[in-house]
Amino acid sequence: MLLTIKKLAVLSGTVLVLAACKKHDDTAPIVGATNDPAQYGTPFASVPEPADANVYQVNFSAFSQAGTLQGIIPRLDSVRALGVNTLYLMPIYPIGQLKGIGSPYAVRDYQAVNPSLGTLADLRAVVDAAHAKGMAVVLDWVGNHTAWDHPWVNEHRDWYQQDANGTLRNPPAGFTDVLQLNFAKPDMRAALIAAMRYWVLAANVDGYRFDYADGPTYQFFTEANTSLKSIAGHKLLLIAEGSQRDYFFRSGFNLQYGFDFFSIMEKRIFGGQKSAKILDSLNTANYASYRGLPPTARMLRYTSNHDVNVSDGTPLDLFGGKAGSLAAFVVAAYMNGTPMVYNGQEVGTPQRLPFIQGRQVIDWSLNPDMVLAYKRILRFRSASNAVRNGALTSYSSDDVCAFTKTAGSEQVLTLINLRNRAVTYAVPAALAGSYRNGLTGQAVPVGTQVSLQPYEYLVLQK
């Protein structure tokens, strides 16, 4: 939500209040835990570690002709076949009508399913089917603001920010279809957390992607994430869509959006033909302040999502067509990040995919060669501990993003030509030797130099 199209949220009329605690211990109450629903189903035992996740974002309006929760189920085998182990669903909640623009990020009820998408039973069916195929399910959570017609606006006006005249405020970004919540109010925080706990229990979901996470406070996230992680039997993925890195990881998130990665790839390396070595500085900046945090904490990196797809263009538009978009994705997936695929990019969808007004349904028959490439990239990532968790050493030139990932006896050398022209890469002496192509299985000898075609990438394992 930090980009051009806004998404906003609404809370339910059911108010569950519990005094907020700043620090959880064995005797302190868990914020939002009052009146939890019964656990539906059995908590999923195979939620991936953050570093091991391959995330897939679903835009309901584009994903199927039906545009519903049930419309997801027939394609789950295809999504899993890509190598995906985490399904991320865009907001499922009723959309605000008062002053609304049709955005699913203007939520009218935090504890209900948008009737146009289906029912709670339909959501449970999606979660059950995904779990049966080995995929975790993460919901989009829009907790910084609500729609104008959320019941809290009338019932708890003090739960919203107001100016000196008592006028309710929009979020700082100026989106007028939603109202900014007041995170100084403990009762509001507890009610919001109760609604987050609801879906983990009532639908057996496996975590959240928190929209516009730069908005709420550190105190709120500490309370919320502590409360969520206290739910018995559940291991959760918690994703922050925000830019305050240390802030989020310290409060309990284990994945954070890589806005800076996307921007550098789009505007500087592909758009501005700047040196690929910029990525080395990015990795240093991303992870330098994370000492003492969980070693699996990762940046979630992408070459498309619902925002940038609409505002900036498709991966084909931004990264030099089919070949360039695949090269950019290899960097996202292999260079110290957790990758996210936006629905349709694996088939090279040439059209933008609206999520507020209008529809563009994905043609899943397009570009089977790209589907195969994405499968190879993600499947090798899942099979390689070095790629997912190994130590990074960079050997990039201005044109070629080159690095090794090493874990134990496994080393993976990745070479990615980020130019739309053939280049010759001078191989450091320490990297010469015999390798196996990790994506095709072929033996590859590496000498003093490697010739790479436009946007060609090599993933070499030994």
Side-chain angles (χ1 to χ4, degrees), residues 112 121 186 204 217 226 323 398 409:
N204 202 23
T217 62
T226 297
D398 287 337
S409 61

Side-chain angles (χ1 to χ4, degrees), residues 285-343:
N286 278 174
Y287 291 102
S289 64
Y290 298 164
R291 294 181 181 88
L293 295 171
T296 54
R298 289 292 185 274
M299 304 304 296
L300 186 69
R301 291 178 172 169
Y302 53 86
T303 55
S304 190
N305 64 36
H306 65 287
D307 272 321
V308 298
N309 174 276
V310 173
S311 64
D312 294 29
T314 71
L316 303 186
D317 298 330
L318 304 179
F319 301 112
K322 291 167 56 176
S325 66
L326 285 167
F329 183 73
V330 173
V331 183
Y334 287 12
M335 196 181 192
N336 262 24
T338 291
M340 182 172 74
V341 176
Y342 181 49
N343 56 196

Side-chain angles (χ1 to χ4, degrees), residues 41-95:
T42 302
F44 185 49
S46 300
V47 176
E49 291 294 323
D52 300 338
N54 294 331
V55 181
Y56 188 95
Q57 181 185 4
V58 173
N59 171 355
F60 292 101
S61 69
F63 192 79
S64 70
Q65 288 290 343
T68 62
L69 283 157
Q70 284 286 345
I72 295 174
I73 295 175
R75 287 206 57 81
L76 286 179
D77 283 332
S78 297
V79 173
R80 185 67 182 110
L82 284 177
V84 168
N85 56 23
T86 304
L87 201 65
Y88 148 39
L89 307 181
M90 287 179 66
I92 62 166
Y93 322 102
I95 295 172

Side-chain angles (χ1 to χ4, degrees), residues 276-277 279-280 335 392-397 400-404 425:
K277 295 178 182 178
L279 293 166
D280 299 337
M335 196 181 192
L392 172 71
T393 304
S394 179
Y395 298 93
S396 293
S397 68
V400 177
C401 180
F403 54 90
T404 60
Y425 174 75

Side-chain angles (χ1 to χ4, degrees), residues 179-196:
L179 295 169
Q180 176 67 43
L181 288 166
N182 183 357
F183 286 89
K185 297 294 182 178
D187 288 354
M188 187 283 291
R189 299 198 306 269
L192 194 58
I193 293 168
M196 297 177 76

Side-chain angles (χ1 to χ4, degrees), residues 25 46 224 337 344 365 375 398 444:
D25 57 37
S46 300
S365 69
K375 285 181 178 179
D398 287 337
V444 179

Side-chain angles (χ1 to χ4, degrees), residues 6-17:
K6 175 60 178 177
K7 324 142 280 190
L8 308 160
V10 151
L11 300 161
S12 107
T14 301
V15 180
L16 304 176
V17 176

